[in-house]
Amino acid sequence: MKTRTRTIDEIRYLKRLENIIKARMQDIVNNNDIIESAPEDKVRIRIPMMDEPYFKPVFPGSGAGAGSGSGNEPGEGSEEGEHEIEIELTVEELSELLFEYLGLPKIKPKGSSVEKEEYIIEGISKTGPRSRIHRRKTYYEIMKYGYREDSLRYKHLRKKEMPIFDAIVYFARDYSASIDDRKKFKIKSTSFWINNFIKYNYKNVKTKFAVHDTKAKFVNEHEFFRLSEGGATICSSVFELIYEDYKNYSVDDYNFYLFYFSDGENLPDDNPKLRELVEKLSEDFNLIAYGEVKSADAYYGYGSKETLVPVFSSIGKENIFAEKVFSVKDFIVRLFGDNNER
């Protein structure tokens, strides 16, 4: 495949865009409208232009540009402002953009795969059908120079045999009374971006959701983020449920991932069983990740001091990750952003 050398202007622009995306990352990852969206839904974000333009760029057929001068005629601005354009991306495209700028690597699948003929992007051209417009490359051109006749960039595609791997992803959480709405939202936001990152790396993903208090059960996605129950907590119950379920699949044909969330509270007598099950699952799972969500008070030394992080980390395996979720962005970067193969 041809490797395209980026110009100094483009490198300079990409670095600036990267800083803008990172600065707004926390707002993006916690945006409920995005989290509630389907992959094909459109979202809009505003991005400053590289250089100050005379007119706000618009695509052909979308209306006239807005003037930015200092006069008093209709359509002219009366004050100098920051020049931005609003770009529209699908949630899938936005996810890819965020993962790229966060420096998250491709995770390495294991096991067997099937060969499937797919179209891949081999290069970028200035001509092509509108269905092949490359949004990001087009936005780069518009943000650097304003809209021009030759601003549109198109994907140059060709067919290639590609290996297709399958993944089964388990999301599990404690839904006992101690998991309040704030904790549930942090779980929801973290799970949303993790799920998108897995789908960014795998074509075929089967996602399963499970909840527990003293007993565990599989639920649908809607229930996973909303259910609450009273009573005590036995964390091993959900790992036992997942252990029995994953045995129905061939470990040679699937890549397994497990993401578990709780506030760290568990019956102390249950911790040895929990540790044993996590260790068993880690033999076949690419990754088992535990995210601990606490109330705001707990981060400042108040509230419950219980934590399950040592139970997971004491197993001492590279494919077991356990941390408290202070920031969704930072948790995901630490989870996927190093050189370990997941």
Side-chain angles (χ1 to χ4, degrees):
M1 184 184 296
K2 282 185 177 179
T3 302
R4 177 178 172 272
T5 303
R6 286 173 170 159
T7 65
I8 292 175
D9 272 353
E10 187 173 8
I11 292 171
R12 183 168 63 93
Y13 169 71
L14 290 175
K15 185 63 181 175
R16 183 180 175 191
L17 183 57
E18 176 183 349
N19 292 335
I20 293 165
I21 291 290
K22 285 185 176 180
R24 299 183 181 181
M25 177 67 70
Q26 202 60 36
D27 292 335
I28 293 172
V29 298
N30 290 321
N31 187 310
N32 194 56
D33 290 337
I34 295 175
I35 295 168
E36 294 281 356
S37 302
E40 66 276 8
D41 288 348
K42 301 287 182 66
V43 295
R44 293 182 177 184
I45 57 175
R46 298 189 70 84
I47 299 292
M49 292 200 179
M50 170 80 78
D51 298 305
E52 183 171 300
Y54 290 103
F55 294 93
K56 177 180 176 181
V58 292
F59 284 101
S62 63
S68 58
S70 57
N72 296 316
E73 294 298 319
E76 294 184 339
S78 57
E79 294 181 5
E80 184 177 350
E82 183 177 334
H83 298 280
E84 295 184 330
I85 67 166
E86 189 175 69
I87 63 174
E88 188 178 75
L89 302 167
T90 65
V91 173
E92 186 175 21
E93 289 168 334
L94 176 61
S95 299
E96 183 178 341
L97 189 67
L98 295 181
F99 300 146
E100 180 181 332
Y101 289 133
L102 283 175
L104 300 187
K106 288 277 188 177
I107 54 183
K108 187 173 182 179
K110 64 180 181 180
S112 61
S113 67
V114 297
E115 294 290 325
K116 182 178 179 181
E117 194 174 63
E118 285 199 332
Y119 282 102
I120 63 168
I121 300 174
E122 190 177 46
I124 305 296
S125 66
K126 293 186 177 182
T127 59
R130 294 193 69 85
S131 60
R132 292 188 185 178
I133 288 178
H134 195 297
R135 289 173 184 260
R136 279 187 292 150
K137 293 294 184 183
T138 297
Y139 291 143
Y140 294 161
E141 295 299 317
I142 292 175
M143 289 181 224
K144 284 190 293 183
Y145 307 117
Y147 180 76
R148 304 181 305 184
E149 289 297 323
D150 63 347
S151 291
L152 298 182
R153 294 293 181 267
Y154 300 84
K155 303 170 187 175
H156 179 61
L157 305 177
R158 74 178 178 90
K159 282 186 178 181
K160 184 180 179 181
E161 291 289 326
M162 300 290 291
I164 305 298
F165 293 89
D166 295 325
I168 295 177
V169 181
Y170 294 95
F171 286 96
R173 74 171 180 91
D174 175 5
Y175 80 141
S176 61
S178 61
I179 304 295
D180 58 27
D181 287 342
R182 286 187 177 184
K183 294 175 185 176
K184 278 191 284 188
F185 181 78
K186 188 167 283 188
I187 292 170
K188 182 177 182 178
S189 177
T190 309
S191 299
F192 174 84
W193 293 108
I194 287 174
N195 200 24
N196 274 277
F197 183 67
I198 297 293
K199 290 178 178 178
Y200 171 61
N201 285 276
Y202 289 96
K203 290 292 184 183
N204 299 327
V205 178
K206 181 182 292 186
T207 308
K208 297 193 170 192
F209 299 91
V211 295
H212 76 89
D213 46 17
T214 58
K215 295 181 180 180
K217 62 182 179 180
F218 285 112
V219 295
N220 62 41
E221 184 174 0
H222 178 83
E223 292 170 330
F224 179 77
F225 293 117
R226 288 167 176 80
L227 286 177
S228 293
E229 287 289 339
T233 303
I234 298 179
C235 298
S236 67
S237 62
V238 77
F239 286 85
E240 195 164 24
L241 177 71
I242 291 169
Y243 182 76
E244 293 301 321
D245 185 76
Y246 106 95
K247 290 193 298 184
N248 295 318
Y249 301 94
S250 167
V251 295
D252 294 326
D253 296 332
Y254 289 93
N255 293 265
F256 296 94
Y257 292 84
L258 168 54
F259 303 96
Y260 174 63
F261 302 92
S262 86
D263 58 2
E265 297 183 17
N266 191 27
L267 294 180
D269 292 345
D270 183 55
N271 285 346
K273 184 177 181 180
L274 169 63
R275 189 184 188 281
E276 179 186 354
L277 285 165
V278 172
E279 191 165 11
K280 279 184 178 180
L281 288 166
S282 69
E283 293 174 3
D284 291 323
F285 275 56
N286 296 48
L287 175 65
I288 297 174
Y290 169 56
E292 191 163 283
V293 292
K294 294 284 191 182
S295 64
D297 288 344
Y299 294 133
Y300 296 99
Y302 303 100
S304 172
K305 302 293 192 301
E306 291 186 61
T307 177
L308 290 175
V309 171
V311 176
F312 287 82
S313 58
S314 66
I315 298 172
K317 288 192 173 182
E318 288 187 355
N319 63 333
I320 298 175
F321 176 91
E323 276 196 12
K324 293 179 181 178
V325 185
F326 294 100
S327 155
V328 174
K329 178 197 73 173
D330 293 343
F331 181 83
I332 292 173
V333 169
R334 285 194 293 270
L335 176 60
F336 293 115
D338 58 18
N339 293 322
N340 292 333
E341 294 177 353
R342 299 299 194 185

